[in-house]
Amino acid sequence: MAKYITLLLAILCSFAGFRAHSYEAADSLSGKYLFLHLPGDALQLIPESTRVDMVDYYEAGQKYRPLNSLRGYCSLDSLTASYARVTVSAASDVQMCVLPCGKQRVAAVVYTVDGGDSPDSQLLFYDAALRELPLKRYFKEPELEAFMVKSKEARAMQQLVPFLLVSYELEPSSTGATLTARLNVEGSMTEEDFARIKPFIATESLIYTWDGHRFSLPRK
């Protein structure tokens, strides 16, 4: 009988621990929590134990650049209650921002890979339990025409772009954040083709504002 009681207590303790962890995840969404526990590929080169050390050094006001899993340097560049920015490697960085969303909060994560002169970003969203959310619910990715003048000739010029490269920059604010989308097609084109299309590029950046539910462009 004692054996079964011991087993039952162990199961109850495990369940209680699971509930406590779930509550912590749902109640502790912050820049630090995102950096320490973000799932997926963005931070996979930095082991969790290294992330803990990086937070400790940052909060102590000390510079710390440990090695990632590929033996390159990484660093925690910014950390606040609602934001974190991390240099993962010489070619990649991650921005994480907690955003108010109705009565809840979501996390926006920008993962940028820079091959030199043509950085490209992926934007991801997570709920408080760090489950990935559908991107289209919170953001409509810009197409090439959004950066170009409105004309028939400009539409024809779009065929010169082999693939669209756009990088994102998060800037936290008192009401959430702004998201700047930058066009980076020059590095993916020949000099001749870029010279042809450049006169038809109306803007190289679009600035989106978090409205409490999604990132949107200002109304014209």
Side-chain angles (χ1 to χ4, degrees):
M1 179 64 70
K3 178 179 178 180
Y4 291 109
I5 293 176
T6 301
L7 179 60
L8 179 60
L9 288 173
I11 294 173
L12 289 174
C13 288
S14 298
F15 179 73
F18 171 77
R19 290 294 300 274
H21 176 76
S22 298
Y23 175 79
E24 181 185 7
D27 194 56
S28 304
L29 194 59
S30 65
K32 180 192 293 188
Y33 191 84
L34 287 170
F35 174 55
L36 292 176
H37 302 291
L38 185 71
D41 296 336
L43 294 175
Q44 67 174 343
L45 291 182
I46 308 178
E48 187 172 336
S49 59
T50 303
R51 298 185 210 177
V52 172
D53 291 341
M54 292 169 74
V55 169
D56 289 343
Y57 275 95
Y58 187 92
E59 293 182 334
Q62 300 181 40
K63 292 184 179 180
Y64 182 53
R65 299 180 67 234
L67 295 175
N68 61 33
S69 298
L70 296 180
R71 310 302 294 173
Y73 289 105
C74 56
S75 62
L76 178 56
D77 304 317
S78 181
L79 182 64
T80 70
S82 61
Y83 179 77
R85 182 164 193 156
V86 188
T87 297
V88 178
S89 70
S92 62
D93 71 82
V94 178
Q95 302 167 70
M96 295 157 276
C97 190
V98 181
L99 301 169
C101 187
K103 296 181 179 180
Q104 301 177 338
R105 294 184 299 167
V106 297
V109 176
V110 171
Y111 176 36
T112 301
V113 176
D114 187 352
D117 56 358
S118 53
D120 189 37
S121 294
Q122 181 181 15
L123 177 59
L124 304 164
F125 285 89
Y126 295 87
D127 65 12
L130 299 187
R131 294 172 295 212
E132 189 172 345
L133 300 167
L135 175 62
K136 63 181 180 181
R137 184 186 302 173
Y138 304 99
F139 181 63
K140 182 180 179 181
E141 295 179 280
E143 297 181 355
L144 180 58
E145 62 182 2
F147 297 93
M148 302 189 68
V149 299
K150 309 299 181 184
S151 71
K152 183 176 180 181
E153 191 173 4
R155 288 194 296 272
M157 284 292 173
Q158 293 181 35
Q159 299 177 10
L160 296 174
V161 180
F163 46 88
L164 183 61
L165 296 176
V166 177
S167 60
Y168 299 127
E169 184 81 17
L170 278 169
E171 182 67 32
S173 68
S174 58
T175 57
T178 58
L179 180 74
T180 300
R182 291 190 175 87
L183 183 66
N184 300 311
V185 295
E186 183 175 3
S188 68
M189 305 176 65
T190 65
E191 292 184 8
E192 293 77 9
D193 282 347
F194 183 71
R196 291 175 61 191
I197 198 174
K198 187 174 180 179
F200 300 95
I201 297 177
T203 180
E204 293 184 347
S205 62
L206 301 170
I207 300 177
Y208 297 77
T209 301
W210 182 257
D211 64 9
H213 297 279
R214 61 185 291 114
F215 279 114
S216 303
L217 288 170
R219 294 183 179 180
K220 296 182 179 181

